[in-house]
Amino acid sequence: QVQLVESGGGSVQAGGSLRLSCAASGSRASSNIMGWYRQVPGKQRDLVADITSGGRTNYADSVKGRFTISGENAKNTVYLQMNNLKPEDTALYYCRQVMGILGTYWSQGTQVLVSS
């Protein structure tokens, strides 16, 4: 069974940095798309950034220039480097991996708290 294990969340002051990572285990299949989403209470889960197996990236306008997504296809691992964090980046961050015919998988979520 595929499981996504993430790490790297935490608390930081505005202007600081955090790096999230998410690794898939339980399958030798490769991920077609790996991405990060975030959600605050009472709101929908929104895309932060994603990356295809070919390396094409896509970012939400609110994080362009501050966040960088990268991936290691061979390890089904995706990273999110978050710089110049703002209080509005505070949210529960989820990793999502699309693994072809195996389907789409989500992580449990990791909290990012940015204080002003």
Side-chain angles (χ1 to χ4, degrees), residues 2-62:
V2 176
Q3 288 188 322
L4 302 185
V5 178
E6 59 183 317
S7 61
S11 298
V12 66
Q13 289 190 328
S17 298
L18 286 172
R19 178 178 168 89
L20 306 181
S21 65
C22 172
S25 63
S27 173
R28 293 183 178 181
S30 297
S31 296
N32 304 116
I33 300 174
M34 299 185 289
W36 292 94
Y37 289 69
R38 66 187 181 187
Q39 188 172 24
V40 297
K43 295 192 175 181
Q44 67 181 21
R45 190 174 297 183
D46 292 326
L47 173 70
V48 176
D50 60 22
I51 183 169
T52 68
S53 56
R56 186 176 63 193
T57 58
N58 177 44
Y59 294 92
D61 287 343
S62 60

Side-chain angles (χ1 to χ4, degrees), residues 72-86:
E72 291 187 69
N73 292 338
K75 297 180 179 180
N76 282 348
T77 300
V78 62
Y79 306 96
L80 185 68
Q81 178 66 44
M82 304 184 292
N83 297 329
N84 190 22
L85 282 159
K86 303 177 180 181

